């Protein structure tokens, strides 16, 4: 029972604190006092509430330099990713060319060694699709499966 009593006590205490909290009106004496406390704290520590140095407010050049540095890092990351993609595409193109040059080791179409229709009585059949249809045009074999 003690954990339950503690939990209920905490919930009641938290609920009571919630009613006392309310938003301050802008330009009210309480709002102005809070603003003054924040400004005095920033002047004393040299840091804004978000952790940035106070000099960032008075020095737009420093802000611009920080933004330019972040932009340069972002562009470097983008260029690195683009180089990686280009290298992968080049490797795929080289592999495709090598496979074509080596001759067709894999037969095209619905045939043994190529695409094969499952004839096993336990697994055969098409759900939500018509059976495959093979066509040949301009020396290329196409196998299409129409979903239903």
């Amino acid at each position: 029972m003690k954990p339950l009593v503690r939990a209920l006590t905490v919930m009641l205490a938290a609920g009571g604190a919630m009613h006392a909290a309310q938003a301050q009106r802008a330009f009210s004496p309480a709002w102005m006092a809070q603003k003054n406390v924040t400004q005095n704290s920033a002047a004393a520590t040299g840091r804004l509430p978000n952790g940035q140095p106070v000099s960032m407010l008075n020095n737009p050049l420093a802000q611009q330099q920080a933004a330019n540095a972040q932009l340069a890092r972002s562009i470097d990351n983008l260029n690195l990713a683009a180089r990686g993609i280009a290298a992968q595409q080049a490797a795929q193109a080289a592999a495709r060319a090598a496979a074509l040059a080596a001759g067709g080791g894999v037969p095209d179409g619905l045939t043994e060694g190529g695409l094969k229709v499952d004839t096993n009585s336990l697994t055969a059949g098409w759900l939500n699709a018509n059976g495959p249809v093979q066509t040949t045009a301009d020396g290329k074999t196409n196998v299409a499966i129409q979903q239903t």
Side-chain angles (χ1 to χ4, degrees), residues 124-143:
W126 296 87
L127 297 176
N128 300 320
N130 294 333
V133 176
Q134 177 176 314
T135 58
T136 304
D138 299 326
K140 294 183 179 180
T141 302
N142 184 38
V143 176

Side-chain angles (χ1 to χ4, degrees), residues 64-148:
Q64 185 62 42
Q65 288 172 341
N68 286 342
Q70 179 63 41
L71 177 63
R73 283 191 301 274
S74 295
I75 290 173
D76 288 344
N77 288 338
L78 181 62
N79 285 333
L80 181 64
R83 283 193 301 270
I85 291 169
Q88 183 63 37
Q89 288 174 336
Q92 288 174 339
R96 189 177 303 112
L100 288 174
V106 177
D108 284 339
L110 298 170
T111 182
E112 192 66 41
L115 297 174
K116 185 176 175 188
V117 176
D118 187 5
T119 57
N120 184 332
S121 62
L122 296 176
T123 58
W126 296 87
L127 297 176
N128 300 320
N130 294 333
V133 176
Q134 177 176 314
T135 58
T136 304
D138 299 326
K140 294 183 179 180
T141 302
N142 184 38
V143 176
I145 300 172
Q146 181 181 6
Q147 292 183 341
T148 58

Side-chain angles (χ1 to χ4, degrees), residues 5 49-50 58 75 90 98 124:
V5 172
N50 65 2
N58 301 328
I75 290 173

